Amino acid sequence: MDDELLTIGAFAARARLSAKALRLYDRLGLLVPAHVEETSGYRYYHAGQVERARLVAMLRQLDMPLARIAEVVGAEGAEAADLLAAYWADVEARVAGQRSLAEYLRGRLSGRSSDMYGKFVVETVDVPAQVVVTEKRHTLADELPSWIGASLGRLEAAARECGGMAGAPFVVYHSEVSMESDGPAESCVPVEDEAAARAWAERAGRAWETSVRVEPARRLAYTRITKAQVAQPQILAAYEAVEQWLAREGLQPAGPCREVYFGDWEASGPGDLVCDVAFPVS
């Protein structure tokens, strides 16, 4: 029975897919016909391909991208199940983030944004001029956390060649980073030895858009947040708290906003303070 050849219409009915979908899956290599007539181009499928076709259809009902479906149906047994589990974990994480963002927006629209995530204490601090090694990148919001971790890791390793770190790492946002705007963002690590830093930059080249510059002395208005609050949308409330404080004080930002990561990220728990959300002020 598995060798029985079915026309595309008959196969579509049995697999519960449209002929249009089957043609698309054929072009993508997801579900290739068992036979195609050279003269007419008619497609024929084995009855044994129905199970694979139904699997593709069910995975599509999970909104799984076709490229990931190809990985799942191309794997076997436990590997295929693990691929599906990884995809669904990504979906649940995305939905959780969207749920939090929706709740944040509800509070903002109803005028409750100021107390959505607790009280933020805003203070100012004077930061001296610093020599920093940097890495800049255009990135969207979904790629930002992994890039921050990777780029700061590279820069902290470079700092060991430049006399060591001279301050807390920070990330500067030269323009908005969201799902529609790609910044750029710039990871920065203060170092002790400027000459060594410039020598490092020459060796590093432009593989990671690296550079060395002197960050001028600044006064920062900042609020301190926990590791849990670094995630979206909690961090949005922190930025808004600093902006509202600046407005109340009659101050204007004197440069791009930034996040200063003073805590040990790996060793910190969700409630530990790890980051300052800050705006330079004149």
Side-chain angles (χ1 to χ4, degrees):
M1 290 293 294
D2 286 352
D3 292 334
E4 177 189 357
L5 282 180
L6 303 171
T7 65
I8 190 171
F11 184 80
R14 191 174 296 188
R16 306 187 193 100
L17 288 167
S18 69
K20 181 179 179 181
L22 289 174
R23 294 186 186 97
L24 172 62
Y25 299 160
D26 179 14
R27 290 198 301 272
L28 297 175
L30 278 175
L31 192 63
V32 179
H35 174 69
V36 180
E37 287 188 356
E38 292 185 9
T39 55
S40 65
Y42 289 164
R43 294 170 169 84
Y44 294 89
Y45 294 82
H46 283 308
Q49 293 179 278
V50 168
E51 182 177 352
R52 181 184 177 104
R54 289 180 176 174
L55 174 60
V56 171
M58 287 186 287
L59 291 172
R60 285 297 291 156
Q61 290 180 34
L62 297 177
D63 292 327
M64 182 179 285
L66 292 172
R68 296 191 73 162
I69 289 178
E71 294 177 1
V72 173
V73 299
E76 295 183 0
E79 182 185 359
D82 289 344
L83 289 170
L84 173 58
Y87 167 74
W88 194 247
D90 290 344
V91 171
E92 290 183 324
R94 184 178 71 250
V95 171
Q98 290 172 332
R99 185 183 300 112
S100 296
L101 179 57
E103 182 61 25
Y104 168 76
L105 291 173
R106 284 179 59 196
R108 182 173 179 175
L109 292 170
S110 63
R112 294 187 294 109
S113 58
S114 60
D115 59 4
M116 279 294 293
Y117 297 102
K119 302 297 182 181
F120 293 96
V121 177
V122 180
E123 300 178 294
T124 60
V125 62
D126 291 317
V127 180
Q130 299 172 306
V131 177
V132 294
V133 291
T134 80
E135 183 178 317
K136 186 182 289 187
R137 180 175 175 179
H138 288 273
T139 179
L140 296 175
D142 58 344
E143 300 174 344
L144 181 65
S146 60
W147 175 76
I148 288 176
S151 60
L152 289 180
R154 289 188 286 268
L155 293 172
E156 289 171 9
R160 292 194 284 270
E161 303 178 33
C162 308
M165 292 175 58
F170 57 96
V171 178
V172 178
Y173 296 96
H174 294 281
S175 187
E176 180 184 2
V177 175
S178 66
M179 292 307 295
E180 289 77 34
S181 178
D182 64 353
E186 182 183 28
S187 290
C188 305
V189 172
V191 296
E192 294 284 358
D193 190 332
E194 181 176 357
R198 297 197 181 279
W200 164 81
E202 289 184 7
R203 294 194 302 273
R206 296 186 59 80
W208 298 101
E209 293 193 52
T210 55
S211 68
V212 176
R213 61 181 173 81
V214 177
E215 177 79 1
R218 298 181 184 275
R219 171 166 290 183
L220 298 179
Y222 71 95
T223 190
R224 190 150 286 186
I225 61 176
T226 66
K227 185 174 181 178
Q229 290 173 316
V230 171
Q232 296 270 13
Q234 291 91 323
I235 199 167
L236 298 179
Y239 273 105
E240 286 193 356
V242 180
E243 289 174 320
Q244 290 169 5
W245 183 88
L246 292 176
R248 288 196 303 270
E249 297 294 318
L251 298 173
Q252 293 291 329
C257 59
R258 60 200 59 206
E259 294 161 11
V260 184
Y261 291 94
F262 61 84
D264 185 336
W265 185 268
E266 296 299 328
S268 298
D272 294 329
L273 296 169
V274 297
C275 176
D276 290 337
V277 170
F279 285 82
V281 295
S282 55

